[in-house]
Amino acid sequence: LTALTLKKLEQRRKLTGDSERLVIVLVGLPGRGKSFIARKLQHFLTWRGSSCRVFNVGKYRRHANAEMSRERHEAQVEDTSTSEKVERADLGSCDAKFFDPNNAEAAALREKVAAMAMEDMLKWLDYEGPEEQENNNNGNSLKASFRRLSSSNSGSDWGVCRKYSRVAIYDATNSTKARRDWVLEECTCPVKRAGKRTGVIFVESLCDDQELLDQNFQFKIQNSPDFKGMSKEEAIADLRSRVEKYESQYETISDDSR
């Protein structure tokens, strides 16, 4: 490490107070291995003795989209192509059009599910109670979150105390500075988070190795519910289109920004 780098690290250390909670915020375009990194971090931190949980915004998005799609497809039809669309809708699958910045309805839903994941994450960070009860609550937390889509009642049984040595991983693209500013504000707001000191680390996954990206894309289309029912060619084309839509707005993290 250079003397300049060491000086910057020392300045950051002085400005970073000890926190009882830590949020690791992943940043990156689709297919850059964010969820893979999240799982590896979770396994390592759990092995080190911390309580760690991943909050994947994509799962919230698919669940919410499935709930909305089911309402539109209550009547089953015999047509094969339509039935296939219904099956994809039941999975909450979203094609590239869903990620178009000009798609106002989809953009509103993406904002809503990001907030849901954030709310559940902060409740988990602040919760202290029997581990068994915590696990049971977490099993239903996703479903409980989506009931809030159509309900103004946001009551929760997570408890009011806090538990120490907790690390939450907020797994999403978080591709703009505005979104990252929002994440930081939600986690560290001195008013909403009074007495709940929370550290935040942004981890950006960058990759411009086309061979590696092709491998990542192949893995993603084989494992993501978003591409179920598509041919390999259709899935790859759809994923590349999704990446292009994110690239049009993507803002990388610089040394002096989030």
Side-chain angles (χ1 to χ4, degrees):
L1 296 177
T2 66
L4 180 60
T5 300
L6 289 172
K7 183 177 180 181
K8 286 185 176 181
L9 290 174
E10 178 61 19
Q11 289 174 339
R12 290 186 180 184
R13 185 191 68 77
K14 291 179 179 178
L15 293 172
T16 304
D18 294 334
S19 299
E20 298 159 351
R21 308 159 187 81
L22 177 65
V23 176
I24 299 175
V25 184
L26 298 179
V27 178
L29 292 166
R32 266 59 180 180
K34 296 184 299 298
S35 294
F36 176 81
I37 293 171
R39 290 192 297 271
K40 290 295 184 180
L41 282 171
Q42 182 182 33
H43 293 159
F44 174 74
L45 291 167
T46 301
W47 175 75
R48 287 291 301 269
S50 295
S51 184
C52 181
R53 186 162 297 169
V54 177
F55 292 82
N56 182 283
V57 177
K59 291 183 179 179
Y60 283 76
R61 182 253 302 163
R62 280 187 288 272
H63 197 132
N65 194 52
E67 291 293 321
M68 294 178 64
S69 297
R70 288 191 192 104
E71 295 177 2
R72 301 190 188 109
H73 297 284
E74 290 181 352
Q76 295 293 321
V77 291
E78 296 298 327
D79 180 71
T80 304
S81 61
T82 306
S83 297
E84 187 174 280
K85 290 179 181 179
V86 171
E87 181 182 358
R88 281 178 50 78
D90 287 342
L91 292 168
S93 303
C94 303
D95 61 19
K97 295 177 182 177
F98 184 87
F99 302 93
D100 189 330
N102 297 317
N103 186 336
E105 181 182 4
L109 181 59
R110 293 200 305 272
E111 293 290 331
K112 184 170 289 188
V113 296
M116 287 180 175
M118 175 64 67
E119 183 178 349
D120 281 349
M121 181 182 73
L122 294 178
K123 286 179 179 176
W124 178 77
L125 280 173
D126 298 339
Y127 175 76
E128 180 180 7
E131 196 69 20
E132 181 179 357
Q133 178 184 353
E134 174 195 330
N135 290 335
N136 289 339
N137 284 340
N138 183 67
N140 295 317
S141 64
L142 208 61
K143 293 181 180 179
S145 293
F146 294 106
R147 284 197 291 269
R148 298 199 297 272
L149 274 171
S150 57
S151 172
S152 60
N153 180 15
S154 59
S156 173
D157 57 354
W158 284 78
V160 296
C161 297
R162 61 179 181 270
K163 189 173 182 178
Y164 302 128
S165 301
R166 291 201 160 200
V167 182
I169 302 174
Y170 192 71
D171 182 11
T173 55
N174 298 307
S175 54
T176 65
K177 186 177 185 302
R179 170 55 66 85
R180 297 190 290 271
D181 286 344
W182 171 78
V183 171
L184 185 64
E185 174 68 15
E186 290 295 309
C187 294
T188 63
C189 176
V191 177
K192 292 188 289 186
R193 303 285 296 160
K196 302 174 181 178
R197 179 176 289 178
T198 304
V200 179
I201 298 175
F202 290 93
V203 177
E204 184 174 18
S205 179
L206 299 171
C207 179
D208 56 7
D209 184 324
Q210 193 56 53
E211 184 176 353
L212 179 57
L213 285 175
D214 289 341
Q215 293 177 0
N216 287 351
F217 287 1
Q218 291 292 336
F219 181 83
K220 190 173 183 69
I221 65 171
Q222 291 172 14
N223 293 277
S224 172
D226 284 337
F227 306 100
K228 184 175 177 60
M230 293 185 184
S231 68
K232 179 179 177 180
E233 293 74 19
E234 290 173 333
I236 285 291
D238 187 82
L239 177 55
R240 292 191 186 281
S241 178
R242 180 192 300 192
V243 172
E244 288 175 0
K245 295 183 188 306
Y246 272 108
E247 284 178 330
S248 68
Q249 299 187 97
Y250 191 82
E251 298 171 314
T252 192
I253 298 177
S254 64
D255 286 343
D256 299 319
S257 71
R258 297 182 278 276

